[in-house]
Amino acid sequence: SACKPGLLPTEDAGKPKVTLERVEVQSYFPWADLPARTPLALAFVFNIHNPSGYNILLDNFKFTVSFEAAPNEYIEIATPTSYDRIYFPPETTSQYRIVSVIDSATIRLTLLVAQAPKVQALKLNPAELIKDWYTKVGDFGFGIKVSEGMAVFLTDKGDVFVPFEGKFPKK
């Protein structure tokens, strides 16, 4: 389904709207230099608004997480996916939380392989960048972006695909 020109993906009239409310550090472990694996659990809290007069059922939900590596330059690090089946009542806004657990070794491999061209173009040191992210995440000292988001809702009137995106902290 296409979006109307000039509107963000989450602003189609009459469709559910998904917005990133906030990101929380769900669980944090003391930093250990690479190649040790340091886990990091982030919770992504979304507002889901159902403007319709009927229940909608969330069927699946996915998005890409990117961390800010340089001013306004983001690097994709993970793609959380959820297959929770949750009903959202009519004419309400409810919150939906996805917890994503990542670790420093997986991020390192992502930076060295899939994101290598971007890391090289920005002249970044992957190990220093990862340590910087881990030491600043508690205060959200860098931007976190959610992109390529897609929520699929099942309704009595058919399936509804809702693209979404967002940034935290909101500046």
Side-chain angles (χ1 to χ4, degrees), residues 54-122:
Y54 47 86
N55 287 331
I56 58 174
L57 174 65
L58 178 65
D59 187 52
N60 64 70
F61 194 92
K62 74 175 192 169
F63 56 93
T64 298
V65 176
S66 301
F67 285 174
E68 189 173 28
N72 296 314
E73 294 287 343
Y74 288 81
I75 295 180
E76 298 170 354
I77 59 161
T79 303
T81 303
S82 173
Y83 297 100
D84 293 338
R85 293 176 58 90
I86 300 172
Y87 278 100
F88 292 90
E91 301 172 2
T92 60
T93 300
S94 303
Q95 289 194 325
Y96 180 60
R97 175 185 302 263
I98 297 285
V99 176
S100 178
V101 179
I102 55 178
D103 73 65
S104 55
T106 304
I107 294 173
R108 180 176 175 267
L109 289 175
T110 299
L111 296 179
L112 292 175
V113 180
Q115 298 298 326
K118 190 161 198 172
V119 169
Q120 292 167 356
L122 294 171

Side-chain angles (χ1 to χ4, degrees), residues 116-133:
K118 190 161 198 172
V119 169
Q120 292 167 356
L122 294 171
K123 297 179 174 45
L124 298 170
N125 176 313
E128 289 175 12
L129 181 60
I130 297 165
K131 183 176 181 178
D132 188 56
W133 284 335

Side-chain angles (χ1 to χ4, degrees), residues 149-164:
M150 181 61 69
V152 179
F153 296 93
L154 308 181
T155 74
D156 293 341
K157 301 182 188 280
D159 296 355
V160 178
F161 298 85
V162 179
F164 60 91

